[in-house]
Amino acid sequence: MSEAEHVPAAGTTSVRRSRDVPLLVERARAGDPRAVARLITLVENGDALLPAIAAALAPYAGQAQVVGLTGSPGVGKSTTTNELVRALRARGHRVGVLAVDPSSPFTGGAILGDRVRMQDHATDPGVYIRSMSSRGHLGGLAAATPQAVRVLEGAGCDVVLVETVGVGQAEVEVASLADTTLVLLAPGMGDAIQAVKAGILEIADVFVVNKADRDGVDATVRDIQGMIALGERGPGQWRPQVVRSVAARGEGIDDIAAAIDKHRGWLVEHGELRRRQEARAAAEVEAIALGILRARIGSLRDGTELATLATKVAEGATDPYTAADELLAQLSR
């Protein structure tokens, strides 16, 4: 299902430009990578067809296992993702990969290099790889990533791997999107110190200490295990696993896959999988609702209501909270 190497089929041109949502979803479910690409492009661009796409994909929600990979730049996220794809394909799974790359704050452009690093799977019809620009969105993902995950679920992917930008401790949004979150670290990159800080290391379901052939790996593992031991957990709560790997040589990948499987089993056994899916849906609905509100507020700038309220606040005739209540009342009307 790799978009890059798929042999063109009849109707390819129409699929590339099609706005026929039922046709696109049907072709995506049949494994047509161009239909998947078209749907994700429409999602990324916030097209007017987005509600129709979401409605068409709704029956397939929750059918894929979503695994997030995050960590500082240089720890080997793309290499680990590449090797995980290999392991999952050996099990017969259809795999989707969403690799989010940072965009320039000056030009808005992005070098979508993660897909280049995963060319091992370019000709595999059971793998779909998509690089996405963050487009300035904070938290390590792109704003369109949740809907892109839904597209890949609808396309029949058994597992969706979401690789984040890789920016540091504030990159925690992936935890609200993924069923299982992997946090990658590497010896000698300052992560041993980061282990005692709040932030990205608190979201891990599985810690992967990659580049484990380097000096200092034992100290890094000890620091992580010490941090885990300090955490408060009730009976039956998940205790994050710590796995060593050398992804560049394919070492430890089976251990990572086994840790993901173990966490998946715990999620199902304790009803946590459903809770996470519902929390993800709640966050998605909230984000969409807030986006609609922002659009409506933006439209008010073209009228007189917001300007009138702003004048009253500036003159001291009213306070900003009262003005905000009036603005919301106008939006509801």
Side-chain angles (χ1 to χ4, degrees), residues 305-320 322-323 326 330:
E305 295 90 346
L306 184 57
T308 300
L309 289 170
T311 298
K312 289 182 179 180
V313 172
E315 293 175 345
T318 188
D319 64 273
T322 300
E326 291 184 30
Q330 292 176 21

Side-chain angles (χ1 to χ4, degrees), residues 73-282:
V75 296
K77 293 190 298 298
S78 294
T79 305
T80 301
T81 300
N82 188 63
E83 292 303 316
L84 272 176
V85 170
R86 195 187 312 280
L88 291 167
R89 288 295 293 139
R91 297 181 177 186
H93 293 316
R94 294 179 72 181
V95 184
V97 179
L98 295 174
V100 184
D101 284 302
S103 55
S104 168
F106 303 104
T107 66
I111 299 175
L112 304 180
D114 287 328
R115 181 169 164 177
V116 175
R117 298 189 185 104
M118 301 179 199
Q119 285 301 299
D120 292 352
H121 310 289
T123 59
D124 187 342
V127 180
Y128 183 89
I129 301 170
R130 176 76 173 224
S131 288
M132 304 179 71
S133 168
S134 65
R135 300 191 182 189
H137 185 75
L138 301 178
L141 301 178
T145 304
Q147 293 303 317
V149 168
R150 288 188 177 274
V151 171
L152 293 180
E153 284 184 317
C157 290
D158 302 301
V159 182
V160 178
L161 303 177
V162 181
E163 180 189 331
T164 70
V165 169
V167 293
Q169 286 181 300
E171 190 185 318
V172 297
E173 189 176 357
V174 67
S176 65
L177 177 66
D179 301 323
T180 300
T181 301
L182 310 183
V183 171
L184 275 68
L185 310 105
M189 298 188 67
D191 291 308
I193 297 175
Q194 303 300 328
V196 297
K197 294 185 178 180
I200 190 173
L201 294 176
E202 295 182 346
I203 68 172
D205 298 306
V206 178
F207 289 101
V208 178
V209 182
N210 192 33
K211 304 184 181 182
D213 52 345
R214 288 185 174 183
D215 292 337
V217 62
D218 292 334
T220 300
V221 170
R222 281 196 304 271
D223 286 337
I224 298 303
Q225 291 174 333
M227 185 199 70
I228 293 172
L230 291 174
E232 296 183 3
R233 293 176 187 81
Q237 285 189 307
W238 175 254
R239 180 184 176 89
Q241 306 287 291
V242 183
V243 181
R244 305 184 190 208
S245 70
V246 184
R249 298 204 298 254
E251 297 175 6
I253 301 302
D254 289 341
D255 293 335
I256 297 174
I260 294 172
D261 290 341
K262 185 175 181 179
H263 183 247
R264 178 77 173 187
W266 178 86
L267 289 173
V268 173
E269 180 184 352
H270 290 80
E272 181 68 12
L273 180 60
R274 173 57 63 183
R275 190 201 68 78
R276 291 194 181 197
Q277 289 173 338
E278 290 177 355
R280 183 158 70 235

Side-chain angles (χ1 to χ4, degrees), residues 39-60:
L39 287 169
I40 294 180
T41 296
L42 291 170
V43 164
E44 280 193 289
N45 292 339
D47 193 274
L49 289 175
L50 189 49
I53 293 171
L57 294 173
Y60 314 111

